DNA sequence: AGCTTGAGCGCC
DNA sequence: AAAAGGCGCTCAAGCT
């Protein structure tokens, strides 16, 4: 059963909830003040309801603030974008014209941007506002869009897969809103102690922490330049050259191999500076409230379907601050990650049984060594990453022939994806998310001048074509892996809601591409580990049916996120 | 004064 | 030991 949630621009502050059928028949209808929205949803919130709304990141936080959770939804905006771009819906003309109403980009909340909110007088809230939607989307428009989407899916190639993708994307949107709401348990005291241990006491405004200041003195002495500012790339580079170092940049991998008294303090300075600026006291003040870091995810924010994040760098929490992620007293963290997800995904989408075989029940990289494909686990990893990313040089490239010989089907799939991209084409993930068309005219140049000699313009176009080929090569693997991860997350989320009572229930706290953290009462921790594995197996079946690929999960029960070794 | 860009570095 | 895919955040520097 579907209940469509909408708001009309003429009827500001009112929300309409209407029960509809897939054919568009309208049954029950309620129009309520926004203040009664959550209570009305709670009243209608049967297990078999799928809530259909314009945008989960707009509507769902309103419910969560009133402690109302829903099981399932259909996010019209996220689904519209997928269907519009998918190669499988070609010919569905109604999705080909630009439609700003449904293609608005989710942007940071009004607090930061001054963007419109849907209702007057509303405070900024802990979700996303929609810049594309200058006015609320009313019932008629929403229903029309919903019906179009169902039609387009039904008429597409592989409609079951596409339908699964829409369900998974929408479930991900629910999970993201919940994770934003509940937050990651974060011990500000642990974080602050860690900062003062590494950097020294918190400095005054405009000053550097003591440990960094000391390093600056050493750097200046070593370069014989009492005024060099290591924060200024240009200043620093000039000073390094003047001191006789043969460097073309100030990056740490170029500096690392040089022997000079400045290198050690400089590299150390960069490390501390990074911690101080990205995850120092300011970060702590800004992002941690009442023992929680409320990470703002942008579902579908990456073209491949991965999530992006906004504010606080939620998807880039460096290892040094992870000790501050600590379970509440009486609670535990279950930290789980899908081992070697992308290679396993590649084996499945290419139907490479030999490769799937190699990964069964064990470490895929070690299996490559055991089968004599490569000589060390490290080489296996380098070779596999090279296949996924398209490396053309170095150790990785030299290992490639061995991979091709061992897993021809898998390698053919990524090669085909690369060739498609190089010629300006589009590639599509397992569940139907398609890559964008390349921008610029490089491929026109190549088509027009296929045989012209190496001249700068053509060389530039060639180089852009190869870069785009590496992107499309990776797109099919990264994107399909993101789809598996969404299904995993969704399945886990559903399972967790069955545990405990509402006051002490395990919940998703963090999600990072192929990794998930559940915050759980201690007594459920073992069960959560089981559910994490169950959900992974289920995701594999949902995407790949009986194809014999396994998705092993490494899961630990811990007090701190940093207890999970990487 | 406020915006964008590039370098650099953290995460997967 | 370096290099390929995807991101976000910070700073300095250059721009309007």
């Amino acid at each position: 059963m579907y209940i469509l949630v909408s708001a009309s621009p003429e009827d500001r502050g009112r929300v309409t909830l209407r029960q509809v059928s897939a054919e568009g028949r309208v049954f029950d209808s309620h129009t309520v003040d926004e203040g009664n929205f959550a209570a009305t949803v709670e009243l209608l919130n049967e297990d078999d309801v799928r809530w259909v709304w314009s945008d989960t990141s707009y509507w769902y936080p309103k419910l969560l603030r009133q402690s109302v959770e829903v099981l399932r939804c259909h996010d019209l905006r996220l689904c519209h974008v997928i269907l519009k771009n998918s190669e499988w819906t070609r010919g569905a003309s109604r999705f080909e014209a630009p439609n700003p109403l449904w293609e608005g980009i989710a942007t940071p909340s009004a607090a930061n941007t001054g963007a419109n909110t849907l209702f007057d007088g509303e405070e900024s809230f802990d979700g996303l506002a929609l810049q594309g939607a200058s006015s609320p989307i009313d019932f008629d428009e929403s229903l029309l869009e919903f019906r179009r989407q169902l039609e387009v899916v039904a008429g597409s190639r592989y409609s079951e897969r596409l339908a699964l993708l829409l369900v998974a994307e929408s479930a991900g949107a629910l999970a993201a809103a919940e994770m934003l709401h509940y937050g990651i348990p974060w011990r500000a005291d642990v974080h602050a102690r860690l900062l003062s241990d590494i950097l020294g006491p918190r400095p005054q405004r405009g000053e550097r922490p003591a440990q960094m200041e000391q390093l600056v003195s050493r750097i200046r002495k070593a370069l014989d330049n009492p005024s060099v500012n290591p924060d200024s790339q240009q200043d620093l580079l000039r000073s390094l050259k003047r001191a006789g170092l043969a460097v073309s940049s100030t990056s740490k991998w170029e500096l690392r191999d040089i022997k000079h008294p400045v290198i050690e303090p400089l590299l150390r300075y960069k490390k501390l500076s990074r911690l101080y600026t990205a995850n120092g006291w300011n970060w702590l003040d800004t992002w941690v409230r009442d023992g929680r870091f409320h990470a703002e995810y942008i579902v579908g924010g990456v073209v491949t379907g991965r999530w992006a994040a906004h504010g606080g760098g939620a998807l880039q929490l460096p290892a040094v601050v992870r000790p501050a992620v600590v379970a509440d007293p009486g609670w535990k963290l279950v930290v789980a990650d899908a081992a070697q997800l992308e290679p396993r995904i590649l084996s499945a989408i290419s139907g490479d049984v030999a490769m799937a075989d190699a990964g069964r029940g064990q470490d895929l990289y070690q299996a490559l060594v055991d089968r004599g494909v490569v000589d060390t686990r490290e080489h296996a990893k380098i070779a596999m990453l090279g296949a996924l990313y398209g490396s053309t040089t170095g150790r990785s490239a030299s290992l490639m022939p061995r991979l091709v010989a061992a897993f021809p089907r898998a390698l053919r799939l990524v090669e085909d994806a690369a060739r498609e991209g190089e010629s300006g084409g589009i590639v599509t993930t397992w569940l139907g998310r398609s890559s964008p068309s390349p921008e610029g005219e490089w491929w026109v140049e190549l088509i027009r001048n296929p045989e012209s000699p190496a001249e700068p313009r053509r060389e530039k176009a060639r180089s852009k074509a190869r870069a785009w080929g590496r992107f499309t090569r990776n797109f099919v693997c990264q994107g399909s892996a993101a789809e598996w991860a969404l299904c995993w997350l969704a399945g886990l989320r559903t399972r967790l809601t069955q545990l405990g009572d509402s006051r002490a229930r395990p919940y998703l706290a963090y999600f990072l591409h192929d990794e998930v953290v559940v915050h759980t009462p201690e007594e459920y921790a073992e069960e959560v580990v089981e559910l994490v594995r169950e959900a992974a197996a289920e995701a594999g079946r949902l995407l790949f049916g009986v194809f014999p690929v396994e998705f092993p999960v490494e899961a630990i029960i811990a007090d701190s996120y940093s207890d999970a070794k990487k």
Side-chain angles (χ1 to χ4, degrees):
Chain A
M1 192 230 289
Y2 301 109
I3 300 180
L4 203 156
V5 176
S6 62
S8 123
E10 293 84 46
D11 210 3
R12 298 180 85 83
R14 307 267 288 171
V15 180
T16 298
L17 306 92
R18 284 193 180 144
Q19 187 189 329
V20 300
S21 72
E23 295 75 37
R25 289 180 53 202
V26 179
F27 302 91
D28 225 9
S29 180
H30 307 256
T31 297
V32 298
D33 287 333
E34 209 204 326
N36 291 323
F37 171 50
T40 310
V41 168
E42 193 168 25
L43 199 70
L44 303 171
N45 200 12
E46 304 290 334
D47 279 358
D48 64 340
V49 171
R50 187 176 296 277
W51 297 89
V52 180
W53 49 38
S54 56
D55 191 290
T56 306
S57 66
Y58 177 76
W59 292 105
Y60 198 24
K62 297 175 187 297
L63 300 181
L64 291 171
R65 278 199 299 275
Q66 305 297 318
S67 304
V68 175
E69 291 188 358
V70 303
L71 268 181
R72 306 185 301 175
C73 80
H74 181 105
D75 187 304
L76 290 168
R77 197 177 303 264
L78 289 173
C79 294
H80 179 99
V81 172
I82 290 171
L83 294 175
K84 182 187 173 65
N85 294 335
S86 179
E87 287 279 273
W88 297 350
T89 63
R90 273 279 188 76
S93 55
R94 283 177 296 198
F95 275 84
E96 282 175 3
N99 187 338
L101 202 55
W102 296 107
E103 289 152 33
I105 295 161
T107 59
S109 60
N112 300 332
T113 64
N116 294 332
T117 52
L118 291 195
F119 300 113
D120 280 341
E122 183 178 53
E123 299 277 2
S124 69
F125 63 98
D126 57 344
L128 295 170
L130 292 164
Q131 203 137 57
S134 55
S135 60
I137 297 175
D138 65 22
F139 175 78
D140 289 344
E141 186 65 42
S142 298
L143 180 60
L144 186 65
E145 174 67 19
F146 182 48
R147 295 193 58 201
R148 281 176 184 171
Q149 292 191 3
L150 296 181
E151 274 171 38
V152 166
V153 171
S156 71
R157 260 176 102 180
Y158 313 119
S159 57
E160 282 181 20
R161 289 196 207 168
L162 206 42
L164 175 59
L165 176 54
L166 301 192
V167 165
E169 186 89 337
S170 298
L174 294 176
E178 289 166 5
M179 286 189 280
L180 169 64
H181 182 76
Y182 295 115
I184 309 166
W186 202 283
R187 285 274 297 273
D189 59 326
V190 173
H191 191 152
R193 195 178 330 123
L194 185 152
L195 291 175
S196 57
D197 285 350
I198 299 174
L199 298 169
R202 182 173 193 169
Q204 299 292 311
R205 243 183 102 81
E207 286 175 17
R208 288 192 180 95
Q211 294 302 318
M212 285 170 66
E213 203 55 67
Q214 274 191 21
L215 291 165
V216 171
S217 301
R218 291 179 54 197
I219 291 164
R220 286 174 172 166
K221 206 162 287 174
L223 290 177
D224 195 23
N225 179 345
S227 67
V228 65
N229 172 14
D231 293 328
S232 164
Q233 187 259 343
Q234 297 183 13
D235 188 19
L236 180 60
L237 186 58
R238 267 196 305 271
S239 195
L240 288 171
K241 284 179 172 165
R242 207 174 317 133
L245 282 82
V247 286
S248 61
S249 78
T250 64
S251 68
K252 68 176 182 189
W253 29 89
E254 191 171 348
L255 296 175
R256 199 165 39 194
D257 305 324
I258 296 174
K259 270 195 112 59
H260 188 281
V262 77
I263 300 300
E264 188 269 326
L266 181 53
L267 291 181
R268 180 145 180 78
Y269 178 86
K270 282 168 169 284
K271 222 179 175 63
L272 299 199
S273 170
R274 172 78 195 178
L275 172 63
Y276 174 55
T277 55
N279 294 97
W281 291 275
N282 287 339
W283 183 91
L284 198 48
D285 288 347
T286 309
W287 296 107
V288 177
R289 290 260 180 288
D290 303 322
R292 294 290 185 270
F293 167 37
H294 296 273
E296 202 171 316
Y297 299 97
I298 316 282
V299 175
V302 181
V303 282
T304 59
R306 273 190 178 180
W307 293 3
H310 179 268
L315 298 182
Q316 296 124 268
L317 295 178
V320 278
V321 302
R322 291 187 184 189
V325 180
V326 178
D328 290 348
W331 289 58
K332 290 285 181 186
L333 299 177
V334 170
V335 183
D337 82 288
Q340 302 127 17
L341 178 59
E342 287 189 17
R344 291 171 195 278
I345 289 291
L346 174 56
S347 75
I349 64 180
S350 63
D352 195 317
V353 177
M355 191 167 160
D357 247 18
R360 181 139 344 102
Q362 59 175 327
D363 178 356
L364 174 62
Y365 297 141
Q366 187 54 45
L368 263 58
V369 180
D370 297 344
R371 287 163 190 237
V373 179
V374 292
D375 55 351
T376 64
R377 189 177 182 281
E378 202 46 37
H379 282 173
K381 205 168 164 176
I382 290 170
M384 202 55 89
L385 292 181
L388 293 166
Y389 295 154
S391 95
T392 54
T393 58
R395 175 74 72 180
S396 175
S398 66
L399 291 166
M400 215 49 61
R402 322 203 59 163
L403 270 193
V404 173
F407 311 122
R409 288 185 68 118
L411 274 287
R412 195 178 317 125
L413 185 139
V414 286
E415 281 303 316
D416 287 349
R419 296 292 91 79
E420 189 64 36
E422 284 180 20
S423 58
I426 289 172
V427 296
T428 298
T429 60
W430 185 250
L431 293 186
R433 197 183 311 254
S434 294
S435 66
S437 295
E439 306 221 334
E441 298 300 304
W442 53 261
W443 54 278
V444 177
E445 172 74 19
L446 287 179
I447 291 162
R448 199 182 296 146
N449 279 328
E451 300 302 331
S452 74
E455 48 110 354
R457 251 179 59 171
R458 187 183 151 76
E459 268 319 292
K460 208 170 165 186
R462 277 296 309 155
S463 148
K464 284 193 171 176
R466 283 192 298 267
W468 195 259
R470 288 194 296 274
F471 165 63
T472 52
R473 167 199 294 266
N474 185 247
F475 184 96
V476 292
C477 299
Q478 187 185 119
S480 301
E483 288 162 351
W484 179 91
L486 275 176
C487 290
W488 181 40
L489 188 70
L492 178 57
R493 174 180 174 272
T494 308
R495 285 169 168 79
L496 293 180
T497 61
Q498 325 278 322
L499 287 184
D501 65 52
S502 56
R503 288 183 314 275
R505 173 180 295 162
Y507 62 93
L508 294 166
Y510 188 57
F511 176 61
L512 182 56
H513 308 314
D514 59 358
E515 185 176 335
V516 66
V517 179
V518 178
H519 193 207
T520 177
E522 205 164 349
E523 60 267 35
Y524 295 115
E526 300 281 354
E527 203 169 345
V528 168
V529 170
E530 224 19 71
L531 296 181
V532 164
R533 298 218 157 92
E534 258 182 39
E538 182 188 53
R541 283 193 302 273
L542 273 172
L543 268 77
F544 306 115
V546 298
F547 185 79
V549 59
E550 278 183 2
F551 294 97
V553 169
E554 285 174 14
I556 62 156
I557 298 167
D559 289 313
S560 168
Y561 190 11
S562 59
D563 297 341
K565 57 126 189 63
K566 264 281 144 189

